[in-house]
Amino acid sequence: MNAKLAICLLIAIIGLPVNAQLRVSGQPVGNSVNLGKCSILVDSLDHHLIATAAGMFADDFHRVTGKTIPVAGSLSKNPLVIIGTPQSRYIKDLAARKMIDISEISNSPERYIITTLQSPFKGCDEAVVVAGSDYRGAAYGILSISERMGVSPWYWWADVPVKSLDNVYVSGKETSKSPSIRYRGIFLNDEDWGLTPWAGKTFEPEEGNIGPRTYAKICELILRLKGNMLAPAMHACSTPFYCNPENKVAADSFGIMITTSHCEPLLFNNASKSEWDSAVDGEWNYKTNRNTIYGKLDRRVKEAAQFDNIYTLAMRGLHDEGMRGDMTTAEKVEMLEQAITDQREILSRYIDGDIDSIPQIFVPYKEAQELYESGLKVPDNVTLVWPDDNYGYIKMLSNPADRLRKGRAGVYYHVSYLGAPHDYLWLNTTAPMLMYEELKKAYDTGADRYWLLNVGDIKPMELAVQTFFDMAWDFDRFNYENINRRQSAFLGSIFGDEYTPDFQEILDQYYRLAWSRKPEFMGWEREWDSPEYTGLKDPEYSFDNYNEAVTRLKEYGDIADRCRELYDKLPADYKASFFELLGYPVMASSQMNRKFLMSKLNHKMTEAKEYGKANWAALQSQQAYDSINALSHKYNTQLDGKWNGMMALPIGWVALYQKMPEVKFHDGYSPETVDLSIDKSKEIPVGYAVIPVDSYKSSNCGPGHTIRILEGIGYDWKSLQLGEPLQPLSSIDDDSCLRVDYQLPVIDSDSITVTLYTLPRFPLYKGAESKFAMVVDGNEPVIFDDILKEWSLDWKNQVLQNGKANKASFKIASPRKPATLSILAQDPGLIIQRIIIDYGGLKESYIGPRPQD
């Protein structure tokens, strides 16, 4: 070997990563790089996000260590943290000398390599190199080091404390995967009662509304969560995003793209009079007022085209109204196709490159779905963004033909909603398993281009936002077995792993209790509906049967008490974050249930003429009402009022739950405590049986099918999934049908009624079905095909209680001998949450008796 070759080999060996896995710690390991001795090196000619991310990392290092790490624009003799894209002269040089290999991330968006090098440049002994396939990839890479050294993405938005270290050391290498979802972001919506008053009065009073400082904080959060897009607030109460030119500059400084909702074509917000004033601009009707609308859209794209955006195509009505104009369906389809053609013409005018290279979406939301189903032609490169029904159940997904589209598909998903049958804007109660199950169905049908989450005011939706972005970044990390434990692990990483089992038990109870009725729905009213549904009503949970109401009160009280105990144990600097992330939602939910259940008890005791007990229940209800206000006051005033104005019970438009229900006080009667202990005798099955969903004695699971128990969903927090939606269809008339069989207990009756509680579900796409059947012994199968129709009474009832009671009656051929109940699924994806057999003894309650322990 000649000397020259030996030197080259030595350089190559020195340049290799020193460890196979990236490690960030407070102690040196092997040839780790001491960040405390480093300067941060960026190329001033690289994308501006690189300098932003470098500054964020320097700030994070100071938060962790109290030490300053300088950001430089030229080489120095110090150890270096080098951040850049393939356009950076430093990254180019390292790649050319084969010190790093960026070929594995080339041509892949938003990926990064982190590696440690020895002697990367003359006079520089060591370096940490963060090379991104593009500017966002590089930013994600350096901020992933921030997170590992103790700076949570939620350090500001949820006040997660930063863990202190004397120093930080980095060793090894990491290469990120391609993000599972190309575009990942949140929609700020229904911001009237939290984000807008908080920003305008507390955080950004100089704007008096949501402005560039607020948007900068939001975009920083999105970037740290490895997201890349934002749909700005768009209600009439908020300053429209483009009315303040600094808003877009703030978003762009963090590399965040702007997208818009289903009703905002080409970034234009028609919900605000400062954008569209019907008194001046005329009717928002593309058929009769095309020139005015076209001109507005043209000016918006001209103004915004210099930035990265994702453009919504087509045309709905003002704000969230249906399309304007007295037209037939065929005329509406023709008009929409013309609008799409016009909008793409505008995009071509102001944005360089092929029209198909510009990110564009079409959202078949509400009436737009009907028009798409009626033959609306959407250009092949445009992404179809499928919405849920606003309550977590996706209404339609790509059919086999749609899955071949170049633009592929995406999802618009809600964890907060303003509208019929009832608002839920206050707390995050969307179960992680439901979110996963629905998004997996979407992902499996090709919805991997665009995921947008409606988060309301961001707070207190933090856990849902974190889960959503985690899945969007690397969906394959999650499965049916681990998704329900993701949030407890996340909380454990903040407050201590020793508390993770406590967090899991609290979250399981919290989500399960809200599953059958969200806290916002406990007033049992539905505004914007038939008169008989309006006005606060008593909850349907029974005080008489199955301990239904008293068990709910006890279980909510137990997890609220556990949150108080954990709060008291935590160090002072962790209390505020715990209260925001878990304590407030759990304790406030408990009090909301107490408020309405105790008002029902007051009415019950009044009717029974037990006036002392009625007065006690009335006081309990009033105390719960006051407790909710006290909890909200604590939220808004802690941390010297940082979040003042953020936490309120949103009045919304379709809700009265925030009010104190009417209770009756009886003069001359001292309050008398009502015994609310659980009477186990009320749960002894007499004339009925509850069959645990996981107790099937046999099953038929043919090729390509799965039968799975899902933990973390359903009334009993354990449900049975018969196949996944994309698995092959089977036939109810065929012996090989996807099936489970349950042996029923000995029944002293010649007939039974089976109530099968299933999860709401829409057919996978137009023309598909949701067919299943029940059969007992030799009876004829009873077939169900629950084709949900949004806005129907059946749909409203199902989403309010997260379930459908499917009933069928059967003759028993041989009484007092065990019979067999078979459940057959023609269309895979059926989820069963409870099975009740009634043979003459089932009593009235909301969701029936629970299985026996």
Side-chain angles (χ1 to χ4, degrees), residues 12 40 63 70 72 139 253 262 271 283 293 295 398 434 437 459 479 568 583 602 669 673-674 690 724 747 755 783 808:
I40 302 174
R63 290 185 179 100
S253 70
H262 50 87
E283 186 182 18
I293 296 173
S398 299
L434 175 64
E437 186 272 333
K459 299 179 71 66
N479 53 51
D568 290 340
N602 167 261
Y669 291 87
T673 303
V674 180
V690 184
E724 293 185 35
I747 295 170
T755 302
I783 298 173

Side-chain angles (χ1 to χ4, degrees), residues 285-287 290 314-315 323-324 326-343 362 368 370-372 374-378:
N285 182 330
Y286 205 68
K287 182 178 182 180
R290 174 179 176 271
M315 187 73 57
M323 186 189 304
R324 294 291 181 91
D326 183 16
M327 294 178 281
T328 66
T329 296
E331 289 171 331
K332 289 179 180 178
V333 167
E334 182 181 1
M335 189 274 289
L336 263 190
E337 289 178 352
Q338 181 61 55
I340 290 172
T341 299
D342 291 348
Q343 289 162 17
F362 170 72
E370 297 173 8
L371 297 178
Y372 182 74
S374 299
L376 176 71
K377 293 181 176 61
V378 178

Side-chain angles (χ1 to χ4, degrees), residues 520-593:
E520 295 94 332
F521 301 168
M522 284 299 294
W524 242 261
E525 87 289 5
R526 298 209 304 254
E527 308 308 304
W528 286 5
D529 213 317
S530 301
E532 65 267 27
Y533 296 115
T534 62
L536 291 176
K537 296 173 177 58
D538 283 342
E540 292 179 10
Y541 293 101
S542 176
F543 277 98
D544 296 318
N545 300 320
Y546 312 124
N547 293 305
E548 191 176 39
V550 295
T551 299
R552 187 172 181 85
L553 283 167
K554 181 182 184 304
E555 289 174 339
Y556 260 125
D558 286 348
I559 58 174
D561 288 344
R562 291 184 72 175
C563 280
R564 292 187 193 95
E565 292 167 4
L566 288 170
Y567 180 88
D568 290 340
K569 288 181 182 178
L570 290 171
D573 56 340
Y574 281 81
K575 291 182 184 296
S577 183
F578 175 81
F579 187 71
E580 294 167 40
L581 290 171
L582 190 63
Y584 178 87
V586 170
M587 290 187 278
S589 293
S590 176
Q591 295 299 337
M592 185 62 71
N593 276 265

Side-chain angles (χ1 to χ4, degrees), residues 344 356 378-383 401-402 404-408:
R344 283 164 62 86
D356 289 350
V378 178
D380 192 55
N381 68 292
V382 175
T383 301
D402 287 332
L404 302 176
R405 293 175 55 86
K406 292 179 182 178
R408 296 186 67 78

Side-chain angles (χ1 to χ4, degrees), residues 798-816:
Q798 288 196 45
V799 296
L800 286 172
Q801 71 174 65
N802 273 322
K804 171 70 179 292
N806 305 275
K807 295 180 182 290
S809 296
F810 299 95
K811 294 292 185 182
I812 300 297
S814 302
R816 291 177 292 281

Side-chain angles (χ1 to χ4, degrees), residues 684-760:
I684 298 172
V686 177
Y688 73 90
V690 184
I691 310 299
V693 295
D694 59 351
S695 67
Y696 54 91
K697 68 173 184 178
S698 61
S699 63
N700 188 74
C701 187
H705 287 140
T706 55
I707 295 176
R708 179 184 286 112
I709 295 297
L710 304 182
E711 293 189 3
I713 201 169
Y715 298 145
D716 305 308
W717 225 225
K718 184 185 292 184
S719 295
L720 177 75
Q721 184 191 48
L722 273 175
E724 293 185 35
L726 265 71
Q727 291 175 351
L729 299 179
S730 58
S731 172
I732 290 171
D733 300 323
D734 195 317
D735 290 340
S736 64
C737 185
L738 183 60
R739 187 190 76 246
V740 286
D741 304 314
Y742 295 90
Q743 182 173 300
L744 302 184
V746 175
I747 295 170
D748 189 11
S749 175
D750 61 359
S751 66
I752 62 172
T753 297
V754 180
T755 302
L756 189 75
Y757 284 96
T758 57
L759 260 66

Side-chain angles (χ1 to χ4, degrees), residues 498-537:
E498 68 271 25
Y499 297 123
T500 300
D502 296 285
F503 296 144
Q504 186 64 49
E505 291 174 10
I506 291 169
L507 286 169
D508 277 342
Q509 290 283 62
Y510 170 74
Y511 285 122
R512 180 184 64 80
L513 289 164
W515 179 262
S516 61
R517 204 77 183 183
K518 290 180 181 292
E520 295 94 332
F521 301 168
M522 284 299 294
W524 242 261
E525 87 289 5
R526 298 209 304 254
E527 308 308 304
W528 286 5
D529 213 317
S530 301
E532 65 267 27
Y533 296 115
T534 62
L536 291 176
K537 296 173 177 58

